[in-house]
Amino acid sequence: MKSFTDGMQYLDTQFKKLELPDIHYTDIEFEECLFEDCDFSRAKFKQCKFINCDFVRCNLSLIDLSGSKFFGATFQESKLVGVDWTKATWPVYHLDFELKFQRCILNDSSFFGLTLNELIADACKLHEVDFREGDFRKSTLSGCDFTHSLFMNTNLENVDFSESTDFAINVLENKVKGAKFSRYEASSLLELLGIELVD
C-alpha cells in the first residue's frame, strides 16, 4: 500500500516505510494498526481516528491532527516535533486516553489546557513543550528532559517525574501534591521559590 483512501477503515493493518509528507487525509479510521518507519511529517489527518495503534520510528513532526481522536496510541522512538495536540478532539467523558510515548522527541509541542490523566512519557525529549492549564494527574513522565517547557496552573498531582531533568515547576503556581521527583532534581523546585540550598 502506497497511500490511504479518505473515508476508509483500516483494521489490524501494518504500514511500513510509507513516505507521505505534506499529504492531506480526512475521515479515516485506523484500529489496531502498526505504523513502522513511516514519514508523515507536515501531513494533515483531519477528523481521523487512531484506536490502539502503534507508531514505531515514525516522523510525525508538524502533523496537523485537527478533529482527530486518539485512544490507546503508543509512539516509540518517533519524532513528533511541533505538534499541536490541542487541535485533536478529546471527548470530555474520557480522562485517560492511554497515550504512551517511549524514547520520542516532542519538542515545541502543545498540550495546553488538555486533560490527559495517566499520560506516559518515558525517556523523551520535551523541550519547550506547553503544559499550561492542563490536567495530567497520575501521569508517568520519567527519564524525560523538560528544558524550557512551560507549567502554569497545571495539575501534576501524583505525577511520577523520577529521573526527569531540567524542569521549571513553580510549586505555588501548579498542583504537585503526591508528585515524585528525583532527590537531586527536586532542588530546582526550591530554587524557583528563592530558597538557597547549602551543603
Side-chain angles (χ1 to χ4, degrees):
M1 181 179 298
K2 296 182 179 179
S3 187
F4 307 119
T5 302
D6 287 350
M8 285 287 291
Q9 292 182 317
Y10 297 92
L11 176 63
D12 194 20
T13 305
Q14 296 186 8
F15 305 100
K16 296 186 178 182
K17 298 184 178 180
L18 291 181
E19 300 283 339
L20 299 171
D22 296 296
I23 204 159
H24 297 188
Y25 292 109
T26 303
D27 193 29
I28 302 175
E29 183 171 333
F30 302 94
E31 185 171 353
E32 304 284 350
C33 291
L34 169 65
F35 302 87
E36 194 170 39
D37 297 303
C38 296
D39 181 6
F40 299 135
S41 56
R42 301 179 305 280
K44 294 183 179 180
F45 284 87
K46 295 189 174 182
Q47 311 296 328
C48 296
K49 292 181 181 179
F50 297 88
I51 303 170
N52 297 326
C53 292
D54 293 326
F55 296 81
V56 180
R57 295 182 303 277
C58 292
N59 186 355
L60 301 160
S61 294
L62 298 175
I63 194 171
D64 185 343
L65 300 170
S66 297
S68 290
K69 297 179 180 179
F70 287 83
F71 189 85
T74 297
F75 302 85
Q76 300 178 41
E77 298 178 7
S78 294
K79 191 174 181 181
L80 303 108
V81 174
V83 177
D84 186 350
W85 293 93
T86 69
K87 289 185 175 182
T89 296
W90 307 97
V92 295
Y93 51 81
H94 273 302
L95 297 177
D96 173 14
F97 292 89
E98 299 184 19
L99 286 186
K100 181 183 295 184
F101 301 92
Q102 298 174 310
R103 299 180 299 281
C104 292
I105 301 174
L106 297 102
N107 299 346
D108 302 300
S109 296
S110 177
F111 294 92
F112 180 88
L114 296 183
T115 296
L116 297 174
N117 291 178
E118 300 186 50
L119 174 69
I120 295 177
D122 177 34
C124 294
K125 279 190 177 181
L126 292 150
H127 294 190
E128 300 188 57
V129 175
D130 193 347
F131 293 100
R132 293 175 300 166
E133 306 290 341
D135 184 347
F136 305 99
R137 282 174 287 179
K138 299 181 181 179
S139 292
T140 300
L141 308 176
S142 57
C144 296
D145 180 350
F146 288 95
T147 301
H148 300 308
S149 284
L150 300 175
F151 297 90
M152 174 72 74
N153 295 327
T154 309
N155 193 333
L156 302 170
E157 293 179 350
N158 297 302
V159 172
D160 185 356
F161 285 101
S162 299
E163 307 302 325
S164 288
T165 62
D166 296 305
F167 44 75
I169 300 173
N170 190 319
V171 298
L172 300 180
E173 298 174 344
N174 299 279
K175 296 179 180 179
V176 296
K177 183 178 180 180
K180 297 179 182 179
F181 300 90
S182 295
R183 188 177 301 275
Y184 177 77
E185 293 296 331
S187 63
S188 66
L189 303 178
L190 298 177
E191 291 171 2
L192 288 171
L193 297 175
I195 297 174
E196 182 180 354
L197 299 176
V198 295
D199 294 330

